[in-house]
């Protein structure tokens, strides 16, 4: 039987080859170096706010917002590391123990969490000279909580979700409870990690006042810290014990369901807004590619078309409700959407939305195809960030800079991701 | 970078001149002109100074063992793979000089067919024809009907069986009224009725002036459909036979093309 170590070695080899195949030098930069550079850049911005603007509270809010957003995204990615990898249909048919597959997902989640944690930990050093190294130590502990939660709790939550998806009995019970509102089976792969992610966010928010220097009252902080650090480890160990029984069935079921779901897609085309935006493209080839990309993206990856309006509605609600802590939380939403916009940009240059081999044989200039994809990511950045960010900034002037930064991350990050993937 | 390794085919004993092809370098009505095409993958030479002229209305059966370079040669002619050297002209238009004009006149069905899985069959054809600048919904619909795909025109490509995907690949290669049709094992995996329909469609396309190059391992298909046989081995063209010579060979008895094939290809891949 193949072991997790061997699976990991094969997976790493595949990843290395895929990275090496990309022609863009940007794609070949080691991911830990990118994390370190991001951490240094964030640290510089924090230091500017601390020393230049004399705004330690603002600096701390920014650091916390980005730390939470980064780690929660890693946690939400757990089902992708366990079930929705491109090799899942193959792995599901192989005689591979569930334990090995779970350890593989666990290691990959831990690596991803470690990369985000590296950036957060480096950035936190910026607080040292002004606010003291004791506070930096507490912030680093907060990073450890976030990283453990993302790296350990995420795969465990994904395993539980997979068990629910694969179990007919669980589906029958849930079906009876939900009645006509019964969700598709695979939606549990979003719901369960979503609950785990919310728990992680709550833990980090509750620990923040202590990390910022507020006195700890009674045993609350030690208990919270103990639970936050211990629960992911216990959850991962418990999941490991059940992995042999759960994962093979869940992997088969999710792969099959995913394929079935994809076979029955909504045959939508580009939205009205997209069609209007793409009319500004000069060449017919660019307009053709843009229309094709939008139709395929809406069919294959419909979630952004749901998440973006939801995020905007949340920002409107925040702007309307007001309060002291709106801006940091709105920052989390804005930057979460910005990062998602960057991730979605990569979808535009890979199958099933793009087939480079086919495109190379068609009478469409590569420059036109690039223009189409750039227009799409710029539109997405504007539509995802501006409608929510502007009302928020009107209500809270401090949010102007945050909304502008989120817009810049969404647009420039997506353009960079496109350029890196196109080589 | 060191000089790419040459396959054995380029050595003296076999020579570059393909059997039966002494005067094919300047076919008068050639729609497809390939001159000294070389394609390399790193140090490995996949296509070794291939020259091939295909006239309007001609159907060329491109044979050869696995790894002979057939798919790479077709992909290079289609513009999907960059050649290391040599020239490719489609209807007199140089592929390197004016790639868009050349591609607009070329249809390529690769292996496996490159299909947008979330598009319906009709949408995929519409997109490809529009990209070639010649959208014609009625003609595309007729093409689908001829290939027995009318009933699945509104199904997504993802839902199709292997044989149906092959047929959609063929339809996409023909959509938009192209001058050169390149088919990489596209007739493999078709049921007998679909195979007959595909042959009829290709014969009509050739009668309409298309130059067709069909890579296949199905020697029976090559014998029935093609009026010219080209065999590649280790990247080089080793046989190019047509006209009376080919007719005589076929008339000599069943299995004649197979014997020609076996006599001209090496045992081991390059």
């Amino acid at each position: 039987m193949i072991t997790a170590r061997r699976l990991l070695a094969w997976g790493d080899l595949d990843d290395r080859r895929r990275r090496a195949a990309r022609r863009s030098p940007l794609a070949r930069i080691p991911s830990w170096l990118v994390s370190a550079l991001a951490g240094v850049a964030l640290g510089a911005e924090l230091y500017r706010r601390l020393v230049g603007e004399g705004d330690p509270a603002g600096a701390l809010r920014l650091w916390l917002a980005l730390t939470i957003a980064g780690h929660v995204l890693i946690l939400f990615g757990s089902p992708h590391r366990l079930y929705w990898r491109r090799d899942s249909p193959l792995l599901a048919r192989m005689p591979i123990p569930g334990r090995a597959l779970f350890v593989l997902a666990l290691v990959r989640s831990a690596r991803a969490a470690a990369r985000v944690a590296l950036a957060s930990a480096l950035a936190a050093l910026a607080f040292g000279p002004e606010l003291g190294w004791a506070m930096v130590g507490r912030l680093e502990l907060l990073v450890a909580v976030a990283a453990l939660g993302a790296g350990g709790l995420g795969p465990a939550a994904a395993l539980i979700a997979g068990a629910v998806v694969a179990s007919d009995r669980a589906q029958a019970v849930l079906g009876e409870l939900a009645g006509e509102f019964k969700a598709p089976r695979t939606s549990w792969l979003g719901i369960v990690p979503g609950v785990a992610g919310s728990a992680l966010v709550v833990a980090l928010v509750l620990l923040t006042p202590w990390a910022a220097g507020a006195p700890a009252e009674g045993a609350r902080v030690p208990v919270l810290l103990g639970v936050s650090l211990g629960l992911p480890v216990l959850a991962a160990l418990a999941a490991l014990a059940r992995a042999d029984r759960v994962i093979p069935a869940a992997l088969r079921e999710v792969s099959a369901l995913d394929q079935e779901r994809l076979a029955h897609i909504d045959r939508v085309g580009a939205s009205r807004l997209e069609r209007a935006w793409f009319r500004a493209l000069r060449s017919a080839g660019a307009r053709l590619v843009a229309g094709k990309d939008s139709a395929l993206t809406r069919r294959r990856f419909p979630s952004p078309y749901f998440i973006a309006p939801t995020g905007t509605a949340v920002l409107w609600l925040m702007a309307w409700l007001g309060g002291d802590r709106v801006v940091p939380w709105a920052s989390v939403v804005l930057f979460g959407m910005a990062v998602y916009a960057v991730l979605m940009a990569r979808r535009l240059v890979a199958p099933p939305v793009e087939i480079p081999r086919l495109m190379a044989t068609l009478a469409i200039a590569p420059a036109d195809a690039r223009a189409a994809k750039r227009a799409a990511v710029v539109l997405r950045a504007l539509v995802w960030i501006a409608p929510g960010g502007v009302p928020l900034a009107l209500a809270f002037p401090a949010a102007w800079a945050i909304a502008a930064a989120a817009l810049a991350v969404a647009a420039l990050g997506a353009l960079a991701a496109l350029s890196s993937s196109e080589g | 970078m060191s000089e790419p390794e040459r396959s054995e085919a380029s050595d003296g004993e076999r020579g570059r001149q393909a059997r039966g092809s002494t005067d094919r370098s300047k076919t008068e009505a050639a729609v497809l002109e390939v001159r000294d095409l070389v394609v390399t993958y790193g140090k490995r030479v996949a296509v070794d100074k291939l020259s091939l002229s295909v006239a309007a209305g001609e159907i060329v059966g491109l044979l050869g063992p696995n790894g002979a370079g057939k798919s790479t040669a077709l992909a290079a002619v289609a513009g999907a793979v960059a050649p290391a050297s040599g020239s490719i002209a489609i209807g007199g238009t140089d592929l390197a000089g004016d790639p868009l004009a050349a591609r607009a006149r070329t249809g390529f069905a690769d292996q496996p067919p490159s299909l947008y899985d979330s598009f319906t069959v009709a949408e995929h054809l519409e997109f490809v024809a529009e990209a070639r600048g010649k959208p014609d919904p009625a003609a595309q619909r007729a093409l689908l009907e001829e290939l027995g795909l009318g009933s699945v025109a509104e199904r997504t490509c993802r839902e199709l069986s292997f044989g149906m995907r092959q047929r959609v690949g063929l339809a996409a290669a023909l959509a938009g009224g192209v001058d050169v049709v390149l088919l990489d094992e596209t007739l493999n995996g078709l049921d007998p009725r679909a195979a007959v329909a595909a042959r009829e469609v290709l014969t009509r396309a050739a009668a309409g002036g298309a130059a067709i190059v069909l890579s296949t391992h199905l020697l029976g298909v090559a014998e029935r459909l093609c009026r010219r046989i080209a065999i590649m081995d280790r990247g080089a063209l080793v046989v190019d036979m047509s006209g009376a010579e080919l007719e005589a060979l076929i008339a000599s008895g069943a299995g004649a093309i197979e014997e020609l094939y076996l006599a001209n290809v090496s045992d081991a891949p390059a």
Side-chain angles (χ1 to χ4, degrees):
Chain A
M1 285 290 175
I2 193 163
T3 62
R5 187 185 293 270
R6 292 295 300 150
L7 270 179
L8 194 62
W10 284 114
D12 287 348
L13 178 65
D14 182 41
D15 288 344
R16 275 200 306 276
R17 295 253 167 94
R18 287 166 64 86
R19 221 175 14 249
R22 290 191 195 157
R23 276 178 285 180
S24 165
L26 283 177
R28 298 185 192 175
I29 300 175
S31 50
W32 64 264
L33 184 56
V34 174
S35 299
L37 290 174
V40 170
L42 176 60
E45 169 61 15
L46 295 174
Y47 192 74
R48 187 190 67 77
R49 286 178 181 227
L50 282 164
V51 178
E53 296 180 2
D55 181 16
L60 185 63
R61 279 198 297 268
L62 177 64
W63 178 85
L64 181 67
L66 292 177
T67 298
I68 290 177
H71 286 91
V72 167
L73 276 173
I74 297 298
L75 193 149
F76 281 165
S78 296
H80 289 269
R81 292 184 203 99
L82 198 49
Y83 307 115
W84 284 328
R85 287 178 53 80
R86 61 183 177 281
D87 54 0
S88 290
L90 175 66
L91 293 179
R93 291 195 296 268
M94 307 285 276
I96 301 173
R99 200 181 171 87
L101 291 167
F102 183 74
V103 171
L104 184 68
L106 201 59
V107 171
R108 284 181 170 144
S109 288
R111 284 177 177 175
R115 285 193 288 269
V116 176
L118 174 65
S120 286
L122 282 176
L125 296 176
F127 292 103
E130 291 296 309
L131 301 179
W133 296 102
M135 178 178 158
V136 172
R138 290 193 295 274
L139 292 180
E140 301 297 11
L141 201 54
L142 220 56
V143 172
V145 168
L148 260 179
L153 210 53
L159 181 126
I160 294 168
V164 175
V165 169
S167 165
D168 287 333
R169 204 169 60 181
Q171 288 300 318
V173 171
L174 290 168
E176 277 181 26
L177 289 173
E180 63 181 298
F181 301 108
K182 187 186 173 195
R185 275 193 180 207
T186 45
S187 60
W188 290 97
L189 294 167
I191 293 169
V192 180
V195 171
S198 304
L200 179 61
V201 171
V202 168
L204 290 171
V205 169
L206 289 177
L207 285 168
T208 301
W210 162 78
E217 293 167 9
R220 186 173 163 232
V221 168
V223 168
L224 200 54
L225 267 178
V227 170
S228 303
L229 290 169
L231 190 63
V233 177
L234 291 175
L237 288 174
L240 190 62
R242 302 280 297 171
D244 273 340
R245 192 179 296 180
V246 172
I247 299 265
L251 192 59
R252 269 195 305 275
E253 195 71 22
V254 173
S255 296
L257 283 174
D258 193 40
Q259 282 165 8
E260 184 192 318
R261 182 174 66 82
L262 295 177
H264 298 92
I265 51 172
D266 291 329
R267 288 175 199 164
V268 290
S271 66
R272 279 186 193 171
L273 178 65
E274 286 169 328
R275 285 201 300 272
W277 179 262
F278 295 147
R279 272 199 280 274
L281 288 166
R282 274 190 224 158
S283 88
R287 288 194 294 275
L288 182 65
V289 172
K292 182 264 295 177
D293 285 351
S294 289
L296 293 175
T297 306
R298 289 187 72 190
R299 293 174 191 197
R300 180 60 183 86
F301 305 108
S303 52
Y305 293 85
F306 166 75
I307 289 171
T310 305
T312 301
V314 168
L315 290 170
W316 285 349
L317 198 63
M318 287 177 163
W320 180 60
L321 289 174
D324 293 344
R325 308 184 76 175
V326 161
V327 174
W329 288 112
S331 308
V332 173
V333 176
L334 279 168
F335 279 99
M337 286 165 71
V339 171
Y340 199 44
V342 176
L343 295 177
M344 282 304 296
R346 298 179 69 91
R347 307 280 195 201
L348 289 179
V349 285
V353 175
E354 192 52 275
I355 308 175
R357 189 176 167 87
L358 174 62
M359 190 53 66
T361 67
L362 296 176
I364 294 173
D368 288 344
R370 281 197 294 273
K373 291 170 197 301
R374 284 176 189 153
V377 299
V378 169
L379 172 67
R380 211 173 279 162
L382 285 171
V383 169
W384 287 14
I385 304 296
V390 170
L392 184 83
L394 288 173
F396 300 93
W400 275 115
I402 292 165
L407 184 61
V409 167
L412 300 178
L415 289 172
L418 270 187
S419 142
S420 152
S421 302
E422 283 166 346
Chain B
M1 185 183 281
S2 61
E3 181 72 13
E5 295 162 5
R6 296 287 175 197
S7 65
E8 285 180 22
S10 63
D11 293 340
E13 70 274 13
R14 181 151 47 200
R16 181 115 18 239
Q17 191 64 59
R19 180 181 158 189
S21 66
T22 50
D23 57 352
R24 288 202 176 278
S25 58
K26 292 279 177 191
T27 306
E28 201 167 313
V31 179
L32 170 63
E33 282 275 2
V34 180
R35 285 272 154 267
D36 296 328
L37 179 70
V38 176
V39 183
T40 57
Y41 292 124
K43 289 185 174 181
R44 192 171 71 80
V45 179
V47 177
D48 192 3
K49 291 204 170 179
L50 174 74
S51 291
L52 186 71
S53 297
V54 185
E58 217 172 5
I59 304 180
V60 180
L62 186 60
L63 312 180
N66 300 128
K70 307 183 296 296
S71 298
T72 302
L74 292 182
V77 174
V81 171
S85 63
S87 67
I88 298 160
I90 310 289
T93 304
D94 181 45
L95 179 64
D98 190 352
L100 297 190
R103 286 180 201 160
R105 303 176 68 175
T106 310
F108 177 42
D110 54 352
Q111 193 56 245
S114 295
L115 308 178
Y116 289 112
D117 278 339
S118 298
F119 269 165
T120 64
V121 170
E123 285 173 332
H124 181 77
L125 244 61
E126 190 183 334
F127 172 74
V128 170
E130 202 174 333
R132 291 186 183 129
K134 298 167 199 162
D136 183 348
Q140 289 149 29
R141 186 81 206 178
L143 184 58
L144 289 178
E145 293 292 345
E146 286 170 25
L147 287 169
L149 293 168
S151 61
V152 298
E154 297 308 319
R155 273 162 64 177
T156 56
C157 295
R158 176 177 293 279
E159 296 170 79
L160 304 180
S161 68
F162 174 79
M164 282 185 178
R165 290 177 72 87
Q166 294 282 86
R167 280 188 268 169
V168 176
L170 173 59
L174 291 164
V178 291
D179 297 325
V180 172
V181 182
L182 307 165
L183 306 174
D184 190 4
E185 302 188 28
T186 307
L187 301 191
N188 294 8
L190 301 190
D191 64 61
R193 188 183 295 276
V196 169
R199 285 206 303 272
E200 286 174 356
V201 165
L202 289 174
T203 305
R204 267 200 299 279
I212 299 171
V213 182
L214 165 69
S215 152
T216 185
H217 293 294
L218 305 173
L219 302 185
V221 168
E223 191 174 311
R224 263 175 287 183
L225 185 63
C226 306
R227 293 293 161 265
R228 183 173 163 197
I229 296 292
I231 300 179
M232 284 183 74
D233 186 36
R234 301 192 178 206
L237 192 66
V238 293
V239 171
D240 190 352
M241 186 179 283
S242 63
E245 195 182 4
L246 181 62
E247 284 171 21
L249 179 76
I250 292 171
S252 69
I257 290 186
E258 187 176 80
E259 281 177 24
L260 175 72
Y261 175 96
L262 292 173
N264 284 280
V265 302
S266 48
D267 294 333

